[in-house]
Amino acid sequence: MRPADRLFRIIQLMRATGRAMTAAEIAGRMEVAPRTIYRDMQHLIASGAPIEGERGVGYLLREAFDAPPLTFTFEQLEALAFGLRAVEMLGDPRLGQAAREAKDKMLALLPPEHAARLVGAPIHAFRAASQPEPPDCLGDVRTALSTRRKVWIAYNSLAGERSLRTVWPLGLSAFGALWVVTSWCETRNDFRDFRLDRVEDWKVLAERFEPDENQTYAVYLAGLQAR
């Protein structure tokens, strides 16, 4: 890890914990020797970081300190670059456009060296020739999910059974090129997963939904983990 990246991560770690930390504890998180942390702390304090403490006692970052916005390590920039490229490949056109716009905003605010890293990160995502395009309904389902609107769907199951449902979109998952919406199904009065490529027709309704405490996406995920 580059020293500059480690210094940034130390600040982020201390902000996250909000308490005094020993050099040994920080070293364990950073996977370096304590003596390296002692040198890093001397450098940070000399650079004006509001850190209190000393060797053998511990270090505390004052609450008033705030790191500059859009300061990323190079590894974090590679993760962002891959994520944005994957969204462009797997998402619907509106989501892909949003990813490109987000990248442009970050490039305008990042230091030149970091901007170049974001653009030139050697990690890519590609759509295979056999990979289907995103389902046509994906954009509308995303909108319904964020605005909590019910969706009417004509669904064709893998068993060939066609049904008409009114669902409450609670969460979206991508399994490669396969998109699945987890919903509360009014017909079954229970959670159901629907593959978006099996949705033959759909309509976002004006009616909104408000899940109770037993109808949330968190409850659905907890149920999966309990199986």
CSV table of all heavy atoms in Angstrom, one decimal, residues 107-169:
chain,number,residue,atom,x,y,z
A,107,LEU,N,-14.7,13.1,-11.9
A,107,LEU,CA,-13.5,13.5,-12.7
A,107,LEU,C,-13.2,15.0,-12.5
A,107,LEU,O,-12.1,15.5,-12.5
A,107,LEU,CB,-13.6,13.1,-14.2
A,107,LEU,CG,-13.5,11.7,-14.5
A,107,LEU,CD1,-13.8,11.4,-16.0
A,107,LEU,CD2,-12.2,11.1,-14.1
A,108,ALA,N,-14.3,15.8,-12.5
A,108,ALA,CA,-14.2,17.2,-12.3
A,108,ALA,C,-13.7,17.7,-11.0
A,108,ALA,O,-13.2,18.8,-10.8
A,108,ALA,CB,-15.6,17.9,-12.6
A,109,LEU,N,-13.9,16.8,-10.0
A,109,LEU,CA,-13.5,17.2,-8.6
A,109,LEU,C,-12.3,16.5,-8.1
A,109,LEU,O,-11.7,17.0,-7.1
A,109,LEU,CB,-14.7,16.9,-7.7
A,109,LEU,CG,-16.0,17.6,-7.9
A,109,LEU,CD1,-17.1,17.1,-7.0
A,109,LEU,CD2,-15.8,19.1,-7.6
A,110,LEU,N,-11.9,15.4,-8.7
A,110,LEU,CA,-10.7,14.7,-8.2
A,110,LEU,C,-9.4,15.4,-8.6
A,110,LEU,O,-9.3,16.1,-9.7
A,110,LEU,CB,-10.7,13.3,-8.8
A,110,LEU,CG,-11.6,12.3,-8.2
A,110,LEU,CD1,-11.7,11.0,-9.1
A,110,LEU,CD2,-11.2,11.9,-6.8
A,111,PRO,N,-8.3,15.2,-7.9
A,111,PRO,CA,-7.0,15.7,-8.3
A,111,PRO,C,-6.6,15.0,-9.6
A,111,PRO,O,-7.1,13.9,-9.9
A,111,PRO,CB,-6.1,15.3,-7.1
A,111,PRO,CG,-7.0,15.1,-6.0
A,111,PRO,CD,-8.3,14.6,-6.5
A,112,PRO,N,-5.8,15.7,-10.5
A,112,PRO,CA,-5.5,15.1,-11.8
A,112,PRO,C,-5.0,13.7,-11.7
A,112,PRO,O,-5.4,12.9,-12.6
A,112,PRO,CB,-4.5,16.1,-12.3
A,112,PRO,CG,-4.8,17.4,-11.7
A,112,PRO,CD,-5.2,17.0,-10.3
A,113,GLU,N,-4.1,13.4,-10.8
A,113,GLU,CA,-3.5,12.1,-10.7
A,113,GLU,C,-4.6,11.0,-10.4
A,113,GLU,O,-4.6,9.9,-11.0
A,113,GLU,CB,-2.5,12.0,-9.6
A,113,GLU,CG,-1.8,10.6,-9.5
A,113,GLU,CD,-0.8,10.6,-8.4
A,113,GLU,OE1,-0.8,11.5,-7.5
A,113,GLU,OE2,0.0,9.6,-8.3
A,114,HIS,N,-5.5,11.4,-9.5
A,114,HIS,CA,-6.6,10.4,-9.2
A,114,HIS,C,-7.6,10.3,-10.3
A,114,HIS,O,-8.2,9.2,-10.6
A,114,HIS,CB,-7.3,10.9,-7.9
A,114,HIS,CG,-6.5,10.6,-6.7
A,114,HIS,ND1,-7.0,10.3,-5.5
A,114,HIS,CD2,-5.1,10.6,-6.5
A,114,HIS,CE1,-6.1,10.1,-4.6
A,114,HIS,NE2,-4.9,10.3,-5.2
A,115,ALA,N,-7.9,11.4,-11.0
A,115,ALA,CA,-8.8,11.4,-12.2
A,115,ALA,C,-8.3,10.5,-13.2
A,115,ALA,O,-9.0,9.7,-13.8
A,115,ALA,CB,-9.0,12.8,-12.7
A,116,ALA,N,-7.0,10.5,-13.5
A,116,ALA,CA,-6.4,9.7,-14.5
A,116,ALA,C,-6.5,8.2,-14.1
A,116,ALA,O,-6.6,7.3,-14.9
A,116,ALA,CB,-4.9,10.1,-14.7
A,117,ARG,N,-6.3,8.0,-12.8
A,117,ARG,CA,-6.5,6.6,-12.3
A,117,ARG,C,-7.9,6.0,-12.5
A,117,ARG,O,-8.1,4.9,-12.8
A,117,ARG,CB,-6.1,6.6,-10.8
A,117,ARG,CG,-6.0,5.1,-10.2
A,117,ARG,CD,-4.8,4.4,-10.6
A,117,ARG,NE,-4.7,3.1,-9.9
A,117,ARG,CZ,-3.5,2.5,-9.8
A,117,ARG,NH1,-2.4,3.0,-10.2
A,117,ARG,NH2,-3.5,1.3,-9.2
A,118,LEU,N,-8.9,6.9,-12.2
A,118,LEU,CA,-10.2,6.5,-12.4
A,118,LEU,C,-10.5,6.1,-13.9
A,118,LEU,O,-11.2,5.1,-14.2
A,118,LEU,CB,-11.2,7.6,-11.9
A,118,LEU,CG,-12.7,7.3,-12.0
A,118,LEU,CD1,-13.1,6.1,-11.2
A,118,LEU,CD2,-13.5,8.5,-11.7
A,119,VAL,N,-10.0,6.9,-14.8
A,119,VAL,CA,-10.3,6.7,-16.2
A,119,VAL,C,-9.5,5.5,-16.7
A,119,VAL,O,-10.0,4.7,-17.5
A,119,VAL,CB,-9.9,8.0,-17.0
A,119,VAL,CG1,-10.0,7.7,-18.5
A,119,VAL,CG2,-10.8,9.1,-16.7
A,120,GLY,N,-8.2,5.4,-16.2
A,120,GLY,CA,-7.3,4.4,-16.8
A,120,GLY,C,-7.2,3.1,-16.0
A,120,GLY,O,-6.3,2.3,-16.3
A,121,ALA,N,-8.1,2.9,-15.0
A,121,ALA,CA,-8.0,1.7,-14.2
A,121,ALA,C,-8.1,0.4,-15.1
A,121,ALA,O,-9.0,0.3,-15.9
A,121,ALA,CB,-9.1,1.7,-13.1
A,122,PRO,N,-7.1,-0.5,-14.9
A,122,PRO,CA,-7.0,-1.7,-15.8
A,122,PRO,C,-8.0,-2.8,-15.4
A,122,PRO,O,-7.6,-3.9,-15.4
A,122,PRO,CB,-5.6,-2.1,-15.7
A,122,PRO,CG,-5.2,-1.7,-14.3
A,122,PRO,CD,-5.9,-0.5,-14.0
A,123,ILE,N,-9.2,-2.4,-15.0
A,123,ILE,CA,-10.2,-3.4,-14.6
A,123,ILE,C,-11.5,-3.0,-15.4
A,123,ILE,O,-12.0,-1.9,-15.4
A,123,ILE,CB,-10.5,-3.3,-13.1
A,123,ILE,CG1,-9.3,-3.6,-12.3
A,123,ILE,CG2,-11.6,-4.3,-12.7
A,123,ILE,CD1,-9.5,-3.5,-10.8
A,124,HIS,N,-12.0,-4.0,-16.2
A,124,HIS,CA,-13.1,-3.7,-17.1
A,124,HIS,C,-14.2,-4.7,-17.0
A,124,HIS,O,-14.1,-5.7,-16.4
A,124,HIS,CB,-12.6,-3.7,-18.6
A,124,HIS,CG,-11.5,-2.7,-18.9
A,124,HIS,ND1,-11.9,-1.4,-19.3
A,124,HIS,CD2,-10.2,-2.7,-18.8
A,124,HIS,CE1,-10.8,-0.7,-19.5
A,124,HIS,NE2,-9.7,-1.4,-19.2
A,125,ALA,N,-15.4,-4.3,-17.5
A,125,ALA,CA,-16.5,-5.1,-17.5
A,125,ALA,C,-17.1,-5.1,-18.9
A,125,ALA,O,-17.2,-4.0,-19.5
A,125,ALA,CB,-17.6,-4.6,-16.5
A,126,PHE,N,-17.3,-6.3,-19.5
A,126,PHE,CA,-17.8,-6.3,-20.9
A,126,PHE,C,-19.1,-7.2,-20.9
A,126,PHE,O,-19.3,-8.1,-20.1
A,126,PHE,CB,-16.7,-7.0,-21.8
A,126,PHE,CG,-15.5,-6.2,-21.9
A,126,PHE,CD1,-14.3,-6.5,-21.1
A,126,PHE,CD2,-15.4,-5.1,-22.7
A,126,PHE,CE1,-13.2,-5.8,-21.2
A,126,PHE,CE2,-14.2,-4.3,-22.8
A,126,PHE,CZ,-13.1,-4.7,-22.0
A,127,ARG,N,-19.9,-6.9,-21.9
A,127,ARG,CA,-21.1,-7.7,-22.2
A,127,ARG,C,-20.7,-8.8,-23.2
A,127,ARG,O,-20.2,-8.5,-24.3
A,127,ARG,CB,-22.2,-6.8,-22.7
A,127,ARG,CG,-23.5,-7.6,-23.0
A,127,ARG,CD,-24.6,-6.6,-23.6
A,127,ARG,NE,-24.9,-5.6,-22.6
A,127,ARG,CZ,-25.8,-5.9,-21.6
A,127,ARG,NH1,-26.3,-7.0,-21.5
A,127,ARG,NH2,-26.0,-4.9,-20.7
A,128,ALA,N,-20.9,-10.0,-22.9
A,128,ALA,CA,-20.7,-11.1,-23.8
A,128,ALA,C,-21.6,-11.1,-25.0
A,128,ALA,O,-22.8,-10.6,-24.8
A,128,ALA,CB,-20.8,-12.5,-23.1
A,129,ALA,N,-21.2,-11.6,-26.1
A,129,ALA,CA,-22.1,-11.6,-27.3
A,129,ALA,C,-23.4,-12.3,-27.0
A,129,ALA,O,-24.4,-12.0,-27.6
A,129,ALA,CB,-21.3,-12.2,-28.5
A,130,SER,N,-23.3,-13.4,-26.2
A,130,SER,CA,-24.5,-14.2,-25.9
A,130,SER,C,-25.4,-13.6,-24.7
A,130,SER,O,-26.4,-14.1,-24.4
A,130,SER,CB,-24.1,-15.6,-25.5
A,130,SER,OG,-23.3,-15.6,-24.4
A,131,GLN,N,-24.9,-12.5,-24.1
A,131,GLN,CA,-25.6,-12.0,-23.0
A,131,GLN,C,-26.7,-11.1,-23.4
A,131,GLN,O,-26.6,-10.2,-24.2
A,131,GLN,CB,-24.6,-11.1,-22.2
A,131,GLN,CG,-25.1,-10.6,-20.9
A,131,GLN,CD,-24.1,-9.9,-20.0
A,131,GLN,OE1,-22.9,-10.3,-20.1
A,131,GLN,NE2,-24.5,-8.9,-19.3
A,132,PRO,N,-27.9,-11.4,-22.8
A,132,PRO,CA,-29.1,-10.6,-23.2
A,132,PRO,C,-29.0,-9.1,-22.8
A,132,PRO,O,-28.3,-8.8,-21.8
A,132,PRO,CB,-30.2,-11.3,-22.6
A,132,PRO,CG,-29.6,-12.0,-21.4
A,132,PRO,CD,-28.2,-12.4,-21.8
A,133,GLU,N,-29.8,-8.3,-23.5
A,133,GLU,CA,-29.9,-6.9,-23.1
A,133,GLU,C,-30.7,-6.8,-21.8
A,133,GLU,O,-31.4,-7.7,-21.4
A,133,GLU,CB,-30.6,-6.1,-24.1
A,133,GLU,CG,-29.8,-6.0,-25.4
A,133,GLU,CD,-28.5,-5.1,-25.2
A,133,GLU,OE1,-28.6,-4.1,-24.4
A,133,GLU,OE2,-27.5,-5.4,-25.9
A,134,PRO,N,-30.5,-5.7,-21.0
A,134,PRO,CA,-31.3,-5.6,-19.8
A,134,PRO,C,-32.8,-5.6,-20.1
A,134,PRO,O,-33.2,-5.2,-21.1
A,134,PRO,CB,-30.9,-4.2,-19.2
A,134,PRO,CG,-29.6,-3.9,-19.8
A,134,PRO,CD,-29.6,-4.6,-21.2
A,135,PRO,N,-33.6,-6.2,-19.2
A,135,PRO,CA,-35.1,-6.3,-19.4
A,135,PRO,C,-35.7,-4.9,-19.7
A,135,PRO,O,-35.2,-3.9,-19.0
A,135,PRO,CB,-35.6,-6.9,-18.1
A,135,PRO,CG,-34.4,-7.6,-17.5
A,135,PRO,CD,-33.2,-6.8,-17.9
A,136,ASP,N,-36.6,-4.8,-20.5
A,136,ASP,CA,-37.2,-3.5,-20.9
A,136,ASP,C,-37.9,-2.8,-19.7
A,136,ASP,O,-38.0,-1.6,-19.6
A,136,ASP,CB,-38.3,-3.7,-22.0
A,136,ASP,CG,-37.7,-4.1,-23.3
A,136,ASP,OD1,-36.5,-3.8,-23.5
A,136,ASP,OD2,-38.4,-4.6,-24.1
A,137,CYS,N,-38.4,-3.7,-18.7
A,137,CYS,CA,-39.1,-3.1,-17.6
A,137,CYS,C,-38.2,-2.7,-16.4
A,137,CYS,O,-38.6,-2.1,-15.4
A,137,CYS,CB,-40.1,-4.1,-17.0
A,137,CYS,SG,-39.3,-5.7,-16.4
A,138,LEU,N,-36.9,-2.9,-16.6
A,138,LEU,CA,-36.0,-2.6,-15.5
A,138,LEU,C,-36.0,-1.2,-15.0
A,138,LEU,O,-36.1,-0.9,-13.8
A,138,LEU,CB,-34.5,-3.0,-15.9
A,138,LEU,CG,-33.4,-2.7,-14.8
A,138,LEU,CD1,-33.7,-3.4,-13.5
A,138,LEU,CD2,-32.1,-3.1,-15.4
A,139,GLY,N,-36.0,-0.2,-15.9
A,139,GLY,CA,-36.0,1.2,-15.5
A,139,GLY,C,-37.3,1.6,-14.8
A,139,GLY,O,-37.2,2.3,-13.8
A,140,ASP,N,-38.4,1.1,-15.3
A,140,ASP,CA,-39.7,1.4,-14.6
A,140,ASP,C,-39.8,0.7,-13.2
A,140,ASP,O,-40.3,1.3,-12.3
A,140,ASP,CB,-40.9,1.0,-15.5
A,140,ASP,CG,-41.1,1.9,-16.7
A,140,ASP,OD1,-40.5,3.0,-16.7
A,140,ASP,OD2,-41.7,1.4,-17.6
A,141,VAL,N,-39.3,-0.5,-13.1
A,141,VAL,CA,-39.3,-1.2,-11.8
A,141,VAL,C,-38.4,-0.4,-10.8
A,141,VAL,O,-38.7,-0.3,-9.7
A,141,VAL,CB,-38.9,-2.6,-12.0
A,141,VAL,CG1,-38.7,-3.3,-10.6
A,141,VAL,CG2,-39.9,-3.4,-12.8
A,142,ARG,N,-37.2,0.0,-11.3
A,142,ARG,CA,-36.4,0.8,-10.4
A,142,ARG,C,-37.1,2.1,-9.9
A,142,ARG,O,-37.0,2.4,-8.7
A,142,ARG,CB,-35.1,1.2,-11.1
A,142,ARG,CG,-34.1,0.1,-11.3
A,142,ARG,CD,-32.7,0.7,-11.7
A,142,ARG,NE,-32.7,1.5,-12.9
A,142,ARG,CZ,-32.7,2.8,-12.9
A,142,ARG,NH1,-32.6,3.5,-11.7
A,142,ARG,NH2,-32.7,3.5,-14.0
A,143,THR,N,-37.8,2.7,-10.8
A,143,THR,CA,-38.5,3.9,-10.4
A,143,THR,C,-39.6,3.6,-9.4
A,143,THR,O,-39.7,4.3,-8.4
A,143,THR,CB,-39.1,4.6,-11.7
A,143,THR,OG1,-38.1,5.0,-12.6
A,143,THR,CG2,-39.9,5.8,-11.3
A,144,ALA,N,-40.3,2.5,-9.6
A,144,ALA,CA,-41.4,2.2,-8.7
A,144,ALA,C,-40.8,1.8,-7.4
A,144,ALA,O,-41.4,2.1,-6.3
A,144,ALA,CB,-42.1,1.0,-9.3
A,145,LEU,N,-39.6,1.2,-7.4
A,145,LEU,CA,-39.0,0.8,-6.1
A,145,LEU,C,-38.6,2.0,-5.3
A,145,LEU,O,-38.9,2.1,-4.1
A,145,LEU,CB,-37.8,-0.1,-6.4
A,145,LEU,CG,-37.1,-0.8,-5.2
A,145,LEU,CD1,-36.3,-2.0,-5.7
A,145,LEU,CD2,-36.1,0.2,-4.5
A,146,SER,N,-38.0,3.0,-6.0
A,146,SER,CA,-37.6,4.2,-5.3
A,146,SER,C,-38.7,5.1,-4.8
A,146,SER,O,-38.6,5.9,-3.8
A,146,SER,CB,-36.6,5.0,-6.1
A,146,SER,OG,-37.2,5.5,-7.3
A,147,THR,N,-39.8,5.1,-5.5
A,147,THR,CA,-41.0,5.9,-5.2
A,147,THR,C,-42.1,5.2,-4.5
A,147,THR,O,-43.1,5.8,-4.1
A,147,THR,CB,-41.6,6.5,-6.5
A,147,THR,OG1,-42.0,5.5,-7.4
A,147,THR,CG2,-40.6,7.4,-7.2
A,148,ARG,N,-41.8,3.9,-4.2
A,148,ARG,CA,-42.8,3.1,-3.5
A,148,ARG,C,-44.1,3.1,-4.1
A,148,ARG,O,-45.2,3.3,-3.5
A,148,ARG,CB,-42.9,3.5,-2.0
A,148,ARG,CG,-41.6,3.2,-1.2
A,148,ARG,CD,-41.9,3.3,0.3
A,148,ARG,NE,-40.7,2.8,1.0
A,148,ARG,CZ,-40.7,2.7,2.4
A,148,ARG,NH1,-41.7,3.0,3.1
A,148,ARG,NH2,-39.6,2.2,3.0
A,149,ARG,N,-44.1,2.8,-5.4
A,149,ARG,CA,-45.4,2.6,-6.2
A,149,ARG,C,-45.6,1.2,-6.5
A,149,ARG,O,-44.7,0.4,-6.8
A,149,ARG,CB,-45.3,3.5,-7.5
A,149,ARG,CG,-45.3,5.0,-7.2
A,149,ARG,CD,-45.4,5.7,-8.5
A,149,ARG,NE,-45.4,7.2,-8.3
A,149,ARG,CZ,-46.4,7.9,-7.9
A,149,ARG,NH1,-47.6,7.4,-7.8
A,149,ARG,NH2,-46.3,9.2,-7.7
A,150,LYS,N,-46.8,0.8,-6.5
A,150,LYS,CA,-47.2,-0.6,-6.9
A,150,LYS,C,-47.0,-0.8,-8.4
A,150,LYS,O,-47.1,0.2,-9.1
A,150,LYS,CB,-48.7,-0.9,-6.4
A,150,LYS,CG,-48.9,-0.9,-4.9
A,150,LYS,CD,-50.3,-1.2,-4.6
A,150,LYS,CE,-50.6,-1.1,-3.1
A,150,LYS,NZ,-52.0,-1.6,-2.8
A,151,VAL,N,-46.8,-2.0,-8.7
A,151,VAL,CA,-46.6,-2.4,-10.2
A,151,VAL,C,-47.5,-3.6,-10.5
A,151,VAL,O,-47.5,-4.6,-9.8
A,151,VAL,CB,-45.2,-2.7,-10.5
A,151,VAL,CG1,-45.0,-3.1,-12.0
A,151,VAL,CG2,-44.2,-1.6,-10.1
A,152,TRP,N,-48.3,-3.4,-11.6
A,152,TRP,CA,-49.0,-4.5,-12.1
A,152,TRP,C,-48.2,-5.2,-13.2
A,152,TRP,O,-47.5,-4.6,-14.0
A,152,TRP,CB,-50.3,-4.0,-12.8
A,152,TRP,CG,-51.1,-5.0,-13.6
A,152,TRP,CD1,-52.0,-5.9,-13.1
A,152,TRP,CD2,-50.9,-5.3,-15.0
A,152,TRP,NE1,-52.5,-6.7,-14.1
A,152,TRP,CE2,-51.8,-6.4,-15.2
A,152,TRP,CE3,-50.1,-4.8,-16.0
A,152,TRP,CZ2,-51.9,-7.0,-16.5
A,152,TRP,CZ3,-50.2,-5.4,-17.2
A,152,TRP,CH2,-51.1,-6.4,-17.5
A,153,ILE,N,-48.1,-6.5,-13.1
A,153,ILE,CA,-47.3,-7.3,-14.0
A,153,ILE,C,-48.1,-8.5,-14.6
A,153,ILE,O,-48.9,-9.1,-13.9
A,153,ILE,CB,-46.0,-7.8,-13.4
A,153,ILE,CG1,-46.3,-8.8,-12.2
A,153,ILE,CG2,-45.1,-6.7,-13.0
A,153,ILE,CD1,-45.0,-9.4,-11.7
A,154,ALA,N,-47.8,-8.8,-15.8
A,154,ALA,CA,-48.2,-10.1,-16.4
A,154,ALA,C,-47.0,-10.9,-16.5
A,154,ALA,O,-46.0,-10.6,-17.2
A,154,ALA,CB,-48.7,-9.8,-17.8
A,155,TYR,N,-47.0,-12.0,-15.7
A,155,TYR,CA,-45.8,-12.8,-15.4
A,155,TYR,C,-45.9,-14.2,-16.0
A,155,TYR,O,-46.9,-14.9,-15.8
A,155,TYR,CB,-45.5,-12.9,-13.9
A,155,TYR,CG,-44.1,-13.4,-13.6
A,155,TYR,CD1,-43.0,-12.7,-13.8
A,155,TYR,CD2,-44.0,-14.7,-13.0
A,155,TYR,CE1,-41.7,-13.2,-13.5
A,155,TYR,CE2,-42.7,-15.2,-12.7
A,155,TYR,CZ,-41.6,-14.5,-13.0
A,155,TYR,OH,-40.4,-15.0,-12.7
A,156,ASN,N,-44.9,-14.6,-16.7
A,156,ASN,CA,-44.8,-16.0,-17.2
A,156,ASN,C,-43.7,-16.8,-16.5
A,156,ASN,O,-42.6,-16.5,-16.7
A,156,ASN,CB,-44.5,-15.9,-18.7
A,156,ASN,CG,-44.6,-17.3,-19.4
A,156,ASN,OD1,-45.3,-18.2,-18.9
A,156,ASN,ND2,-43.9,-17.5,-20.5
A,157,SER,N,-44.1,-17.7,-15.6
A,157,SER,CA,-43.2,-18.4,-14.8
A,157,SER,C,-42.4,-19.4,-15.6
A,157,SER,O,-42.7,-19.7,-16.8
A,157,SER,CB,-43.9,-19.2,-13.7
A,157,SER,OG,-44.6,-20.3,-14.2
A,158,LEU,N,-41.3,-20.0,-15.0
A,158,LEU,CA,-40.5,-21.0,-15.7
A,158,LEU,C,-41.3,-22.2,-16.1
A,158,LEU,O,-41.0,-22.9,-17.0
A,158,LEU,CB,-39.3,-21.3,-14.9
A,158,LEU,CG,-38.2,-20.2,-14.7
A,158,LEU,CD1,-37.2,-20.7,-13.7
A,158,LEU,CD2,-37.6,-19.9,-16.1
A,159,ALA,N,-42.4,-22.5,-15.3
A,159,ALA,CA,-43.2,-23.6,-15.6
A,159,ALA,C,-44.2,-23.4,-16.6
A,159,ALA,O,-45.0,-24.2,-17.0
A,159,ALA,CB,-43.9,-24.0,-14.3
A,160,GLY,N,-44.2,-22.1,-17.2
A,160,GLY,CA,-45.1,-21.8,-18.3
A,160,GLY,C,-46.5,-21.3,-17.8
A,160,GLY,O,-47.4,-21.2,-18.6
A,161,GLU,N,-46.6,-21.0,-16.5
A,161,GLU,CA,-47.9,-20.5,-16.0
A,161,GLU,C,-47.9,-19.0,-16.1
A,161,GLU,O,-47.0,-18.3,-15.5
A,161,GLU,CB,-48.1,-21.0,-14.6
A,161,GLU,CG,-48.1,-22.5,-14.4
A,161,GLU,CD,-48.2,-22.9,-13.0
A,161,GLU,OE1,-48.0,-22.0,-12.1
A,161,GLU,OE2,-48.3,-24.1,-12.7
A,162,ARG,N,-49.0,-18.5,-16.7
A,162,ARG,CA,-49.1,-17.0,-16.8
A,162,ARG,C,-50.0,-16.5,-15.7
A,162,ARG,O,-51.1,-17.1,-15.5
A,162,ARG,CB,-49.6,-16.6,-18.2
A,162,ARG,CG,-49.6,-15.1,-18.5
A,162,ARG,CD,-50.0,-14.9,-20.0
A,162,ARG,NE,-49.8,-13.5,-20.3
A,162,ARG,CZ,-50.7,-12.5,-20.1
A,162,ARG,NH1,-51.8,-12.8,-19.5
A,162,ARG,NH2,-50.4,-11.3,-20.5
A,163,SER,N,-49.6,-15.4,-15.1
A,163,SER,CA,-50.5,-14.9,-14.0
A,163,SER,C,-50.4,-13.4,-14.0
A,163,SER,O,-49.4,-12.8,-14.5
A,163,SER,CB,-50.0,-15.4,-12.6
A,163,SER,OG,-48.7,-15.0,-12.4
A,164,LEU,N,-51.4,-12.7,-13.5
A,164,LEU,CA,-51.4,-11.3,-13.3
A,164,LEU,C,-51.3,-10.9,-11.9
A,164,LEU,O,-52.0,-11.5,-11.0
A,164,LEU,CB,-52.8,-10.7,-13.9
A,164,LEU,CG,-53.1,-11.1,-15.3
A,164,LEU,CD1,-54.5,-10.5,-15.7
A,164,LEU,CD2,-52.0,-10.7,-16.3
A,165,ARG,N,-50.3,-10.1,-11.6
A,165,ARG,CA,-50.1,-9.8,-10.2
A,165,ARG,C,-50.0,-8.3,-10.0
A,165,ARG,O,-49.6,-7.5,-10.9
A,165,ARG,CB,-48.7,-10.4,-9.7
A,165,ARG,CG,-48.5,-11.8,-10.1
A,165,ARG,CD,-49.2,-12.8,-9.2
A,165,ARG,NE,-48.9,-14.2,-9.4
A,165,ARG,CZ,-48.0,-14.9,-8.7
A,165,ARG,NH1,-47.4,-14.3,-7.7
A,165,ARG,NH2,-47.7,-16.1,-9.0
A,166,THR,N,-50.3,-7.8,-8.7
A,166,THR,CA,-49.9,-6.5,-8.3
A,166,THR,C,-48.9,-6.7,-7.2
A,166,THR,O,-49.1,-7.4,-6.2
A,166,THR,CB,-51.1,-5.7,-7.8
A,166,THR,OG1,-52.1,-5.6,-8.8
A,166,THR,CG2,-50.7,-4.4,-7.2
A,167,VAL,N,-47.7,-6.1,-7.4
A,167,VAL,CA,-46.6,-6.3,-6.5
A,167,VAL,C,-46.1,-5.0,-5.9
A,167,VAL,O,-46.2,-3.9,-6.5
A,167,VAL,CB,-45.5,-7.1,-7.2
A,167,VAL,CG1,-46.0,-8.4,-7.7
A,167,VAL,CG2,-44.9,-6.3,-8.3
A,168,TRP,N,-45.4,-5.1,-4.8
A,168,TRP,CA,-44.7,-4.0,-4.2
A,168,TRP,C,-43.2,-4.2,-4.3
A,168,TRP,O,-42.6,-5.0,-3.6
A,168,TRP,CB,-45.0,-3.9,-2.7
A,168,TRP,CG,-46.5,-3.8,-2.3
A,168,TRP,CD1,-47.5,-3.9,-3.2
A,168,TRP,CD2,-47.0,-3.8,-1.0
A,168,TRP,NE1,-48.7,-3.9,-2.5
A,168,TRP,CE2,-48.4,-3.8,-1.1
A,168,TRP,CE3,-46.4,-3.7,0.2
A,168,TRP,CZ2,-49.2,-3.8,0.0
A,168,TRP,CZ3,-47.2,-3.7,1.4
A,168,TRP,CH2,-48.6,-3.7,1.2
A,169,PRO,N,-42.5,-3.5,-5.2
A,169,PRO,CA,-41.1,-3.8,-5.4
A,169,PRO,C,-40.3,-3.4,-4.1
A,169,PRO,O,-40.4,-2.2,-3.7
A,169,PRO,CB,-40.7,-2.9,-6.6
A,169,PRO,CG,-42.0,-2.6,-7.3
A,169,PRO,CD,-43.0,-2.6,-6.2
